[in-house]
């Protein structure tokens, strides 16, 4: 774990570790902010604040080791049911994160993207992420994808609605609907499926995250609470991934 006084410093990455990660896409369910705060008798939003610091550290590290896509579950379509103060704080976080971190993302050649129903986000949140997407759109390093107001089932239903509309208008035929073309109607169009899906805090479920895309992902559940997750923990998850034998239904 990085000591808290040290969390904004760039970690030293061993030369041989740079750019050699063979995992293209890592997706993370960042869970345990609330419990982290509760253990310290702090308000839940303090846990989310520390969670944002972890996002910075993990983004730096993923970029340094050569991961191509990092998708982070920042706000689900179900999270609106949380207390208003917490929702408001979570909606403020992307702006806070980008106002302090965007220059470094640009320096590191990171491209920012989102998945989710961002039209339904408050104006200030949408504005902050759209600005970051625009300013980083030509970057060619790590793609950092925030899942914001994202839900896997809603994503699939909205893909079906689009396809039905096109079918009704004779723009698409039945034989053109297959797994590949269906994927192109999802928010993740053009993004490879995650090979590795991590969930922190000891919970072991997908919670509606990338349910189509994670069909063959290796699932790694780690007890660490998200604010305590760090480079070492990510390395540990990558090691677990490497210890698995991916067969994709074959032998
Ligand atoms: C789940 O933990 C976490 C969330 C719903 C929010 C995740 C958000 C962040 C980590 C910060 C995101 C940062 C940016 C830049 C957008 P929980 O609150 O459900 O934890 P608990 O299960 O312990 O209560």
């Amino acid at each position: 774990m990085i000591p808290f006084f040290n969390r904004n410093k760039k970690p030293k990455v061993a030369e041989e570790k740079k750019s050699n990660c063979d995992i293209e896409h890592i997706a993370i369910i960042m869970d345990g902010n609330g419990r982290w705060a509760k253990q310290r008798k702090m308000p839940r939003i303090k846990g989310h604040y520390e969670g944002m610091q972890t996002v910075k550290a993990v983004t730096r590290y993923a970029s340094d080791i050569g991961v191509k896509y990092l998708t982070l579950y920042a706000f689900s379509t179900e999270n609106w049911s949380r207390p208003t103060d917490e929702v408001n704080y979570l909606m403020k976080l992307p702006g806070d994160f980008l106002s302090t971190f965007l220059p470094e993302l640009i320096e590191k050649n990171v491209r920012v993207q989102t998945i989710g129903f961002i039209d339904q986000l408050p104006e200030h949140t949408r504005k902050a992420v759209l600005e970051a997407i625009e300013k980083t759109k030509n970057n060619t390093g790590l793609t950092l994808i925030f899942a914001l107001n994202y839900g896997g089932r809603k994503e699939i239903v909205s893909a079906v609605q689009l396809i039905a509309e096109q079918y009704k208008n004779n723009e698409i035929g039945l034989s053109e609907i297959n797994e590949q073309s269906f994927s192109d109607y999802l928010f993740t169009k053009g993004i490879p499926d995650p090979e590795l899906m991590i969930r922190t805090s000891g919970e072991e479920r997908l919670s509606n995250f990338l349910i189509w895309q994670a069909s063959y992902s290796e699932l790694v559940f780690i007890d660490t609470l998200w604010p305590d997750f760090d480079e070492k923990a990510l390395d540990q998850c990558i090691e677990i991934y490497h210890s698995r034998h991916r067969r994709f239904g074959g032998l």
Side-chain angles (χ1 to χ4, degrees):
M1 172 180 153
I2 311 173
F4 285 110
F5 56 82
N6 214 8
R7 285 173 71 104
N8 285 326
K9 290 201 178 149
K10 294 183 196 182
K12 285 199 177 81
V13 178
E15 270 312 306
E16 71 273 12
K17 265 197 159 164
K18 275 193 174 172
S19 306
N20 68 352
C21 186
D22 59 350
I23 306 178
E24 264 203 300
H25 187 173
I26 299 178
I28 309 183
I29 301 175
M30 310 181 287
D31 198 7
N33 295 346
R35 275 162 285 168
W36 184 94
K38 194 172 177 203
Q39 284 171 4
R40 288 161 181 77
K41 301 192 173 16
M42 291 172 170
R44 289 178 60 81
I45 59 169
K46 177 67 177 153
H48 295 313
Y49 173 81
E50 287 302 332
M52 175 178 74
Q53 306 307 322
T54 302
V55 170
K56 292 182 183 176
V58 169
T59 301
R60 281 188 191 111
Y61 191 60
S63 161
D64 286 344
I65 63 174
V67 174
K68 296 279 179 299
Y69 300 89
L70 176 67
T71 303
L72 303 175
Y73 206 4
F75 194 88
S76 75
T77 45
E78 289 71 38
N79 286 153
W80 295 109
S81 64
R82 294 190 175 206
T84 312
D85 283 358
E86 185 171 343
V87 169
N88 289 345
Y89 187 75
L90 287 169
M91 286 298 130
K92 207 168 91 55
L93 276 183
D96 289 355
F97 172 83
L98 291 163
S99 66
T100 51
F101 202 49
L102 188 58
E104 191 178 328
L105 292 174
I106 292 170
E107 183 206 310
K108 285 183 112 42
N109 196 21
V110 173
R111 183 169 61 135
V112 176
Q113 282 194 350
T114 58
I115 55 173
F117 301 89
I118 65 163
D119 290 356
Q120 294 156 14
L121 296 175
E123 174 65 20
H124 63 93
T125 315
R126 201 172 56 240
K127 198 165 160 258
V129 293
L130 289 177
E131 187 188 321
I133 291 169
E134 176 60 26
K135 286 192 171 153
T136 61
K137 68 179 181 203
N138 295 321
N139 289 354
T140 54
L142 170 73
T143 299
L144 172 63
I145 304 162
F146 287 108
L148 283 167
N149 194 23
Y150 174 86
R153 288 185 175 179
K154 284 197 169 66
E155 176 184 39
I156 292 171
V157 168
S158 98
V160 171
Q161 286 172 338
L162 266 171
I163 293 170
E165 185 71 25
Q166 291 187 352
Y167 180 73
K168 195 177 78 184
N169 297 336
N170 289 321
E171 288 161 13
I172 187 170
L174 268 190
S175 62
E176 288 169 88
I177 304 169
N178 53 50
E179 288 183 21
Q180 182 49 53
S181 65
F182 188 84
S183 295
D184 290 344
Y185 289 85
L186 300 174
F187 291 123
T188 47
K189 177 180 179 186
I191 297 170
D193 289 341
E195 298 102 307
L196 171 59
M197 162 85 76
I198 298 168
R199 182 172 189 150
T200 59
S201 89
E203 304 292 340
E204 301 191 355
R205 58 183 172 274
L206 288 184
S207 297
N208 208 11
F209 189 40
L210 299 176
I211 51 176
W212 170 277
Q213 299 87 340
S215 296
Y216 286 100
S217 302
E218 290 298 330
L219 308 179
V220 172
F221 301 110
I222 182 169
D223 286 339
T224 313
L225 303 176
W226 178 249
D228 290 333
F229 193 87
D230 59 10
E231 296 83 352
K232 226 171 112 209
L234 183 56
D235 272 344
Q236 205 184 322
C237 295
I238 291 173
E239 253 172 56
I240 295 171
Y241 168 84
H242 282 134
S243 71
R244 306 258 178 93
H245 182 195
R246 306 186 81 208
R247 293 197 303 269
F248 300 97
L251 292 178

